[in-house]
Amino acid sequence: CLKHPVRELSGGMRRRVALVRAMIAEADTLLLDEPFNGLDSSTKASAVRYVMENQRGRTCLLATHDPADADGLSAQICVLTRD
């Protein structure tokens, strides 16, 4: 799949490409918006491991509706509500 344009990849593959692009960016902070949404459990576990192994001490802000995503990253959780 390396030679295919991203537009030709499946949704899950596109999400993984976006995650890799975010992780290789030269930045002090990572902002991940629903990075594991739509991935099957096996792929999700691999993606979580990838983020943990490549975070390199950077601050990571994760927006998600699934608390398990934050738990998988051993993250501190801040719940935003309208109240």
Side-chain angles (χ1 to χ4, degrees), residues 23-83:
M23 298 304 295
I24 63 172
E26 296 291 330
D28 295 329
T29 304
L30 301 169
L31 177 56
L32 305 178
D33 183 16
E34 298 280 351
F36 313 120
N37 191 30
L39 300 179
D40 62 61
S41 60
S42 173
T43 304
K44 184 177 187 175
S46 294
V48 168
R49 274 193 310 277
Y50 176 79
V51 170
M52 292 295 289
E53 292 169 359
N54 292 281
Q55 189 175 345
R56 297 187 306 267
R58 298 180 284 183
T59 299
C60 182
L61 300 173
L62 172 74
T64 183
H65 291 95
D66 186 352
D69 290 351
D71 289 341
L73 293 173
S74 300
Q76 294 179 351
I77 299 173
C78 176
V79 178
L80 302 179
T81 64
R82 292 181 187 202
D83 299 331

